[in-house]
Amino acid sequence: MTNKRELFQIMTRRFGLLNKNCCSVGGHDLSAAQSHILYEIDRAEAPSMQQVAESLGTDITTFSRQIQSLVKMELIEKSPSPADRRVSLLSLTTTGKFVAATIDTQMNGYLDEVFSYLTPFERETVLRSIDLLNGAMAKSDRCCAPIRDDQAEDTTPNDPE
Amino acid sequence: MTNKRELFQIMTRRFGLLNKNCCSVGGHDLSAAQSHILYEIDRAEAPSMQQVAESLGTDITTFSRQIQSLVKMELIEKSPSPADRRVSLLSLTTTGKFVAATIDTQMNGYLDEVFSYLTPFERETVLRSIDLLNGAMAKSDRCCAPIRDDQAEDTTPNDPE
DNA sequence: AAAATAACTTGCATAATGCAAATAAATAGT
DNA sequence: ACTATTTATTTGCATTATGCAAGTTATTTT
């Protein structure tokens, strides 16, 4: 209660568990990482590989392979950008959209159950708080953004851009 | 804003990034998983392997190896339980305690920075909300607890025990 | 048009994962 | 007391994930 870190440690652990083998839809069994990828592609407008890898904080080579397997699963399509043929634009296939929507429903179901233990007022408050928190994290540059290098206690003001 | 899942997706992603290469202390470079293990051992009173593995939702064989490497790093000690010699009780070494404390400080530092973008009232609200959320997740059995098997839509009542 | 840069992919080499089987200690059944 | 079962943890693979260095193809610089 007193300690911020304690609260967040517990929370992230629980969410980690929730996400563990996050979603099986039909025959497909997706990992949390894969679900995040689908989510992000759905959200953005035909993003490039780099864009998605960057916003998920995944190494581009790892991401390349993650995409390869999602393409093989026929959830994602890659098409060369007309503007720059080095770039691959990502989009969800029809199946991919369906899977993404189903996961969304599932997750909302889980969350509804969790929220059922709260009063309507508490629900409201919690949702608003998460929103505030997301906003605050977005503003922070010390954390929560893709970190390139070490962030040792010495706090060298390195700027990786 | 409207969609619970959306809020939580963003939040978990950001925390994932924050935790990524979560903590380097002195020469030690810890993963998020390792930091969670230290945290849990510090928190509990000489827990057994199974207890910690269970509460972290980690497969016991994977956990066994994670512990092996933390022992090799001299952050953790294993001692056979006097009551039952099959059981290994886990504890932090002096170095382990120091590392755990340092990580705690680091994380609180990050969180302080994030919270600096909120008003004092918002901070209060957010902390209280996380606490509420943790409580609600603890009550839920559909999620957030170690999940043994699939939770497909078909909901076959299989019992793997 | 050659040189530098950029977006992505592939080659390793390493680390993490988890099921099945092994080991070792405790408990049950007789 | 003595074998049989269960329990706690470890090891043997076999699979998958990771990321750096180097490669490929396309674009931009000069």
Side-chain angles (χ1 to χ4, degrees):
Chain A
M1 240 165 281
T2 52
N3 188 316
K4 277 192 204 58
R5 194 259 176 144
E6 192 168 319
L7 285 172
F8 282 90
Q9 186 84 3
I10 301 281
M11 185 181 69
T12 50
R13 181 197 300 173
R14 290 213 211 281
F15 272 109
L17 292 173
L18 171 58
N19 271 344
K20 208 53 165 303
N21 32 337
C22 109
C23 339
S24 14
V25 179
H28 311 286
D29 241 344
L30 300 207
S31 71
Q34 291 175 322
S35 122
H36 274 267
I37 295 173
L38 291 196
Y39 178 84
E40 188 60 20
I41 294 177
D42 202 14
R43 192 169 217 293
E45 284 295 309
S48 72
M49 304 266 298
Q50 281 209 326
Q51 280 170 346
V52 181
E54 165 84 10
S55 61
L56 298 179
T58 310
D59 181 273
I60 184 72
T61 74
T62 299
F63 186 73
S64 172
R65 281 182 259 251
Q66 288 174 333
I67 291 298
Q68 279 170 36
S69 71
L70 286 167
V71 166
K72 212 164 285 166
M73 293 167 79
E74 302 190 340
L75 300 178
I76 282 181
E77 266 171 356
K78 267 196 305 194
S79 45
S81 161
D84 183 339
R85 276 178 309 172
R86 291 170 303 178
V87 175
S88 284
L89 301 181
L90 301 173
S91 57
L92 300 185
T93 62
T94 308
T95 314
K97 278 178 195 162
F98 170 72
V99 168
T102 308
I103 291 174
D104 201 61
T105 305
Q106 270 180 32
M107 292 296 261
N108 272 313
Y110 289 138
L111 291 172
D112 282 340
E113 200 243 326
V114 169
F115 274 67
S116 75
Y117 298 104
L118 301 175
T119 67
F121 175 72
E122 287 170 337
R123 280 171 219 169
E124 192 77 19
T125 309
V126 169
L127 286 179
R128 167 147 178 71
S129 290
I130 306 284
D131 200 32
L132 284 169
L133 190 58
N134 284 346
M137 288 199 282
K139 280 178 196 150
S140 167
D141 56 326
R142 259 180 77 194
C143 70
C144 316
I147 296 156
R148 296 284 153 145
D149 219 86
D150 72 340
Q151 70 284 45
E153 57 228 295
D154 147 76
T155 315
T156 309
N158 55 351
D159 185 292
E161 291 301 306
Chain B
M1 236 165 286
T2 52
N3 189 316
K4 280 192 200 61
R5 194 261 177 143
E6 191 168 320
L7 285 171
F8 281 91
Q9 185 84 4
I10 302 281
M11 184 181 69
T12 51
R13 180 197 301 173
R14 288 213 210 280
F15 273 109
L17 292 171
L18 171 57
N19 271 345
K20 207 53 164 304
N21 33 336
C22 109
C23 338
S24 14
V25 178
H28 311 284
D29 241 343
L30 300 207
S31 69
Q34 291 176 321
S35 121
H36 274 267
I37 294 173
L38 291 194
Y39 178 84
E40 187 60 20
I41 294 177
D42 203 14
R43 193 169 214 293
E45 284 295 310
S48 71
M49 303 267 299
Q50 280 210 326
Q51 280 171 348
V52 182
E54 165 84 10
S55 61
L56 297 180
T58 311
D59 180 273
I60 185 71
T61 75
T62 298
F63 186 73
S64 172
R65 281 181 260 250
Q66 288 174 332
I67 291 299
Q68 281 170 35
S69 73
L70 286 166
V71 167
K72 212 163 284 165
M73 293 167 81
E74 302 190 340
L75 300 177
I76 281 182
E77 267 171 354
K78 267 197 303 195
S79 44
S81 161
D84 183 339
R85 276 178 308 171
R86 290 169 304 179
V87 175
S88 284
L89 300 180
L90 301 172
S91 57
L92 300 185
T93 63
T94 308
T95 314
K97 279 178 195 163
F98 170 72
V99 168
T102 308
I103 290 174
D104 201 61
T105 305
Q106 269 179 32
M107 292 296 260
N108 272 313
Y110 289 138
L111 291 172
D112 281 341
E113 200 243 325
V114 169
F115 274 66
S116 74
Y117 298 104
L118 301 176
T119 68
F121 175 73
E122 288 170 337
R123 280 171 219 169
E124 192 77 21
T125 309
V126 169
L127 286 179
R128 167 148 179 70
S129 291
I130 306 283
D131 201 31
L132 285 169
L133 190 58
N134 283 345
M137 287 197 282
K139 281 178 197 150
S140 167
D141 57 326
R142 259 179 79 195
C143 70
C144 316
I147 296 156
R148 296 283 153 147
D149 218 88
D150 72 341
Q151 70 283 46
E153 56 227 295
D154 144 80
T155 316
T156 308
N158 56 349
D159 186 292
E161 291 300 306

